[in-house]
């Protein structure tokens, strides 16, 4: 006679248990392999756990009758060992049917082929453990990995591979906390981490918050060039985009790289030291208050550099305006000339510290300008069906917000000279590049940029020459382009930019320091000291503008491609390239293209 579970006797002991309990019989096939199991007894707690009534369980086969959609049968081997081999087994399982994490303990029952099971619901406990684990590993403010995770990573690191570390330190956090409160400081930290995330999107790099205002990015198996490029992209991303309350650069960046790294922490210390050198720009800008010193810069790098400028005694009105800035629309060109004249007045006023009333007048002009000039310029764009209207309109809106933010700050500081200098630098940077680059695109479809079918190498060369000519106001008679052979790309600063898409390869640039200094002096109407970092940054900016111009021309020819970030070279470009030399009386520019 087969064994029958005494359900009434079991009920005396197990019905009132708060923990789910059941006695099951294993169903085997002709080869004595487990295929299912039958509930011969179950208490109320088990029925609640399974979400069934008791009559839906008792004497029913689990996989055939109760949950026919469940086919994984992970529990069966454990139950089989308990029922036939007298073993106590334990299994941690997630039940899709019950949506619960269960710990199941099975042990032999009185008769072979039967076993008893205790099912413990650990869903809430697991949730709490997961939450604690997440808190232990991640920073709650920035959602990056925290310092504990960094130490664990260093302990588990397997030496021998190449690796890079980028170290980031938020600028001016203490002062920002003191001025605006810690919630505002937290938002600054989140802004920095948001920009880190934007740069690193879809890259398998680890980001750790290793201090209150410090972050480390670890890049495994990378090249030195990739590490350098990531650091450059981050520096560009951290430039203040117009908020006068924030530091000019939100964070300082340094990096280090090793080919056979034995210790990640040592690599981080070297990156920290490199970051400190970049940090000096922030400290210098904060502490320097001499009347003849004020910030000049170019788009995206205008707030990264602080340098001394020497007065030009021959400065006079309209010196900043050049005929090459015209776009060929009389009303808009006249408004541009008026803005250049007012910018000249602002520079002269800052030089002599003219006082609040003069600054207030100039600020009032700027506010009016962004209304009527932007309105007229946008109306013209719409009338000719300009394809870049929306992007151009966003640039106008951003500059309008910048002017309004400066108005608020200047009034609050009673037109402090340092704030007026900052406004002057911002206006010069925005004005020259908006008029010489963004505004030129308005008429590009009709005149200057109407494409001719040219070799893509020639397009990059001519674009580089056109940018230098445009911003410096030179005419065609003073620019000569010719090809040289038998020598590599030359210049005081060497850069390369990657090209990918329908055409791919590398574009190499070599720029003389004399040319960069001359162009910068033309823009700012001041003679400049020979500041290495300023010159290098300017060259990077010229390079990006030249490449973006070339990309637009290629797009018009149906060639789709994109450029990478300019990377400074420490050794000459490969030999054997066709080097095109752009000769200008102020200096030279070498350009060469290497097809992939």
């Amino acid at each position: 006679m087969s064994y029958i579970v005494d359900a009434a006797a079991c009920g005396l002991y197990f019905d009132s248990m708060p923990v789910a309990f059941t006695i099951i019989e294993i169903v085997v096939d002709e080869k004595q392999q487990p295929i299912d199991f039958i509930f011969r007894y179950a208490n109320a707690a088990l029925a609640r756990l399974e979400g069934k009534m008791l009559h839906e369980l008792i004497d029913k086969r689990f996989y055939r009758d109760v949950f026919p959609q469940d086919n994984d049968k992970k529990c069966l081997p454990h139950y089989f060992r308990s029922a036939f081999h007298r073993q106590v087994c334990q299994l941690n399982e997630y039940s899709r049917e019950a949506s619960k994490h269960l710990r199941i303990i099975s042990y032999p029952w009185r008769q072979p082929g039967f076993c008893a099971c205790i099912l413990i619901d650990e869903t809430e406990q697991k949730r709490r453990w997961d939450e604690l684990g997440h808190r232990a590993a991640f920073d709650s403010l920035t959602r990056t990995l925290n310092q504990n995770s960094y130490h664990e990573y260093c302990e588990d690191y397997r030496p021998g591979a190449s690796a890079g570390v980028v170290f980031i330190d938020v600028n001016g956090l203490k002062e920002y906390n003191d001025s605006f409160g810690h919630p505002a400081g937290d938002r600054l930290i989140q802004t920095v981490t948001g920009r880190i995330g934007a740069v690193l999107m879809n890259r398998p790099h680890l980001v750790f918050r290793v201090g209150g205002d410090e972050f480390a990015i670890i890049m495994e198996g990378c090249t030195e060039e990739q590490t350098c490029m990531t650091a450059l992209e981050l520096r560009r991303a951290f430039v203040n985009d117009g908020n006068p309350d924030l530091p000019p650069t939100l964070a300082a960046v340094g990096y280090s790289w090793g080919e056979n790294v034995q210790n990640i922490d040592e690599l981080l210390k070297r990156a920290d030291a490199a970051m400190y050198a970049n940090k000096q720009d922030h400290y210098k800008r904060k502490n320097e208050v001499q009347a003849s010193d004020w910030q000049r810069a170019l788009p995206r790098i205008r707030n990264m550099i602080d340098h001394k400028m020497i007065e030009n005694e021959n400065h006079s009105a309209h010196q900043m305006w050049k005929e090459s800035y015209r776009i060929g629309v009389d009303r808009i060109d006249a408004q541009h000339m008026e803005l250049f004249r007012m910018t000249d007045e602002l520079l002269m006023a800052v030089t002599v510290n003219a006082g609040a009333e003069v600054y207030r007048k100039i600020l009032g002009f700027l506010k009016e300008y962004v209304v009527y000039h932007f309105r007229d310029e946008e109306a013209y764009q719409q009338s000719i069906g300009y394809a870049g209207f929306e992007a151009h309109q966003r640039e106008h809106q951003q500059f309008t917000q910048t002017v309004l933010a400066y108005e608020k700050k200047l009034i609050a500081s009673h037109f402090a000279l340092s704030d007026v200098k900052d406004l002057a630098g911002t206006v010069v940077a925005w004005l020259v590049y908006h008029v010489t680059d963004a505004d030129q695109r308005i008429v590009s479809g009709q005149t200057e940029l109407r494409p001719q079918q040219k070799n893509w190498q020639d397009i990059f060369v001519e674009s580089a020459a056109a940018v230098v000519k445009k911003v410096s106001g030179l005419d065609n008679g003073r620019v000569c382009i010719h090809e040289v052979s038998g020598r590599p790309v030359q210049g005081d600063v060497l850069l390369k930019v990657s090209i990918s898409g329908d055409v791919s390869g590398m574009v190499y640039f070599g720029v003389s320091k004399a040319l960069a200094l001359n162009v910068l002096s033309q823009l700012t109407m001041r003679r400049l000291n020979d500041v290495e970092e300023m010159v290098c940054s300017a060259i990077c900016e010229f390079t990006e503008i030249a490449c973006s111009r070339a990309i637009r021309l290629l797009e018009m020819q149906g060639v789709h491609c994109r450029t990478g970030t300019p990377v400074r070279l420490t050794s000459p470009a490969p030999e054997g390239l066709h080097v095109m030399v752009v000769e200008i009386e102020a200096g030279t520019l070498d350009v060469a293209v290497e097809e992939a």
Side-chain angles (χ1 to χ4, degrees):
M1 180 178 179
S2 62
Y3 175 76
I4 298 175
V5 174
D6 189 342
C10 290
L12 295 175
Y13 295 98
F14 305 123
D15 278 358
S16 60
M17 283 179 60
V19 179
F21 177 83
T22 182
I23 300 171
I24 62 175
E25 180 182 359
I26 306 301
V27 180
V28 296
D29 59 16
E30 62 276 4
K31 296 181 180 180
Q32 296 300 300
Q33 296 300 312
I35 58 174
D36 208 335
F37 64 88
I38 301 171
F39 291 103
R40 295 307 186 188
Y41 167 80
N43 66 3
L46 180 87
R48 288 194 298 270
L49 182 66
E50 298 288 2
K52 301 286 185 179
M53 301 296 289
L54 279 173
H55 71 269
E56 297 177 285
L57 299 175
I58 302 301
D59 297 329
K60 299 293 193 299
R61 289 174 59 160
F62 184 87
Y63 295 110
R64 189 191 67 184
D65 304 325
V66 182
F67 292 112
Q69 70 274 19
D70 186 356
N71 293 313
D72 58 20
K73 300 186 178 182
K74 288 186 295 185
C75 300
L76 268 180
H78 298 268
Y79 298 162
F80 182 80
R81 288 199 296 272
S82 294
F84 288 95
H85 299 286
R86 318 304 290 171
Q87 297 178 8
V88 177
C89 300
Q90 180 169 300
L91 172 68
N92 294 300
E93 183 190 32
Y94 177 74
S95 171
R96 293 193 301 272
E97 294 76 22
S99 299
K100 295 186 182 296
H101 292 275
L102 304 176
R103 179 157 60 97
I104 305 173
I105 304 171
S106 61
Y107 56 91
W109 191 243
R110 298 172 182 173
Q111 182 76 10
F114 290 78
C115 70
C117 300
I118 298 174
L119 290 80
I120 303 170
D121 183 0
E122 294 186 335
T123 305
E124 181 61 20
Q125 182 180 355
K126 187 178 187 307
R127 185 193 66 79
R128 291 178 180 176
W129 276 110
D130 288 348
E131 184 177 333
L132 288 173
H134 187 275
R135 289 180 181 178
F138 287 86
D139 175 61
S140 60
L141 177 66
T142 62
R143 301 182 185 276
T144 60
L145 292 163
N146 60 19
Q147 194 172 44
N148 290 335
S149 296
Y150 171 73
H151 292 315
E152 290 179 2
Y153 176 86
C154 290
E155 290 175 1
D156 296 337
Y157 180 74
R158 295 182 179 179
S162 65
V165 172
V166 180
F167 194 82
I168 298 165
D169 191 300
V170 179
N171 284 333
L173 181 61
K174 182 181 184 303
E175 294 88 343
Y176 199 70
N177 282 333
D178 293 342
S179 300
F180 303 101
H182 286 275
D186 288 346
R187 289 193 293 273
L188 171 58
I189 292 173
Q190 289 173 325
T191 298
V192 169
T193 53
R195 297 191 184 190
I196 292 173
V199 169
L200 300 184
M201 186 177 297
N202 299 324
R203 301 185 193 180
H205 306 330
L206 298 174
V207 183
F208 299 87
R209 187 182 182 187
V210 294
D213 55 0
E214 297 171 337
F215 296 86
I217 300 169
I218 297 180
M219 308 166 59
E220 296 181 347
C222 63
T223 64
E224 184 174 11
E225 180 180 329
Q226 289 170 332
T227 309
C228 175
M229 185 174 296
T230 299
L232 289 173
E233 290 178 14
L234 286 165
R235 286 179 181 173
R236 196 183 318 280
F238 291 147
V239 172
N240 185 344
D241 49 10
N243 187 337
D245 294 328
L246 294 176
T249 47
L250 304 187
V253 179
Y255 76 91
S256 62
W257 177 84
E259 188 171 7
N260 185 17
V261 178
Q262 301 298 312
N263 187 311
I264 283 290
D265 207 40
E266 288 299 320
L267 205 62
L268 182 136
K269 291 176 181 177
R270 298 209 305 266
D272 186 10
M275 179 280 300
Y276 183 76
N278 184 241
K279 192 83 166 178
Q280 298 313 299
D281 292 330
H282 170 69
Y283 291 138
K284 179 182 175 185
R285 185 179 302 111
K286 183 176 70 173
N287 296 326
E288 201 152 57
V289 294
Q290 298 179 27
S292 61
D293 298 346
W294 56 285
Q295 184 178 325
R296 287 288 188 260
L298 308 172
R300 297 190 300 275
I301 59 137
R302 63 180 178 81
N303 289 315
M304 296 174 65
I305 306 155
D306 197 7
H307 57 276
K308 291 191 174 183
M309 312 191 71
I310 305 172
E311 294 295 334
N312 186 336
E313 297 176 355
N314 297 321
H315 182 91
S316 61
H318 294 291
Q319 281 187 327
M320 289 185 67
W321 172 261
K322 300 175 181 62
E323 288 302 307
S324 61
Y325 294 168
R326 289 187 180 275
I327 68 172
V329 181
D330 291 342
R331 182 177 180 84
I332 294 176
D333 285 335
Q335 292 172 358
H336 283 165
M337 291 179 66
E338 180 66 9
L339 180 57
F340 271 87
R341 184 192 66 78
M342 186 58 69
T343 303
D344 273 341
E345 286 192 17
L346 177 58
L347 300 186
M348 291 298 294
V350 167
T351 300
V352 300
N353 192 10
E357 288 305 313
V358 174
Y359 300 148
R360 195 184 303 274
K361 172 188 172 184
I362 295 172
L363 182 63
F365 169 84
L366 284 174
K367 287 180 62 181
E368 290 183 9
Y369 176 86
V370 298
V371 173
Y372 73 78
H373 170 66
F374 289 171
R375 179 196 60 204
D376 290 351
E377 193 170 88
E378 289 169 9
Y380 174 74
Q381 292 175 32
Q382 289 180 310
S383 71
I384 64 172
Y386 176 47
F389 169 73
E390 292 183 358
H392 203 101
Q393 187 181 50
R394 284 195 297 271
E395 291 187 30
H396 286 171
Q397 292 169 348
Q398 290 171 358
F399 185 68
T400 299
Q401 292 302 315
T402 298
V403 171
L404 294 177
Y406 269 111
E407 178 188 36
K408 180 180 177 181
K409 184 175 183 179
L410 289 169
I411 291 174
S413 70
H414 302 289
F415 290 87
L417 181 59
S418 60
D419 293 337
V420 180
K421 287 179 180 178
D422 190 29
L423 171 64
T426 300
V427 171
V428 169
W430 182 88
L431 170 62
V432 172
Y433 278 88
H434 185 74
V435 170
T436 61
D437 183 38
D439 280 355
Q440 293 296 328
R441 301 176 204 166
I442 300 174
V443 294
S444 62
Q446 293 78 32
T447 57
E448 183 181 14
L449 291 181
R450 182 168 295 280
Q452 300 174 359
Q453 293 298 322
K454 294 183 179 180
N455 184 289
W456 71 281
Q457 292 96 325
D458 292 339
I459 288 177
F460 275 91
V461 173
E462 293 176 10
S463 295
V467 168
V468 176
K469 181 182 72 173
K470 181 66 68 176
V471 298
S472 62
L474 298 173
D475 57 40
N476 288 324
R478 296 160 66 190
V479 178
C480 176
I481 302 176
H482 60 90
E483 183 177 347
V484 297
S485 59
R487 70 165 177 83
V489 173
Q490 294 181 350
D492 294 298
V493 179
L494 303 175
L495 297 167
K496 70 175 179 180
V497 182
S498 62
I499 311 296
S500 58
D502 292 346
V503 296
S504 59
M506 291 286 180
V507 182
Y508 297 91
F509 296 86
V511 186
S512 69
K513 189 178 297 182
L515 174 60
L517 283 172
N518 180 272
V519 172
L520 284 172
S521 299
Q522 290 289 328
L523 293 181
T524 60
M525 299 314 303
R526 296 291 189 275
R527 298 194 308 275
L528 303 178
N529 286 332
D530 186 5
V531 183
E532 177 72 17
E533 184 178 1
M534 179 186 65
V535 174
C536 294
S537 298
I539 293 172
C540 284
E541 185 66 20
F542 291 154
T543 301
E544 288 208 348
I545 293 175
C547 288
S548 64
R549 179 189 179 98
I551 292 298
R552 292 198 302 271
L553 281 167
L554 289 169
E555 290 285 342
M556 291 180 180
Q557 294 185 174
V559 179
H560 304 288
C561 54
R562 59 185 179 275
T563 63
T565 302
V567 176
R568 186 172 180 181
L569 297 175
T570 56
S571 58
E575 295 186 10
L577 302 177
H578 294 291
V579 180
M580 304 298 294
V581 180
V582 180
E583 290 187 347
I584 302 173
E585 61 184 34
T588 60
L589 167 68
D590 281 15
V591 186
V593 175
E594 179 183 35
E595 285 194 74

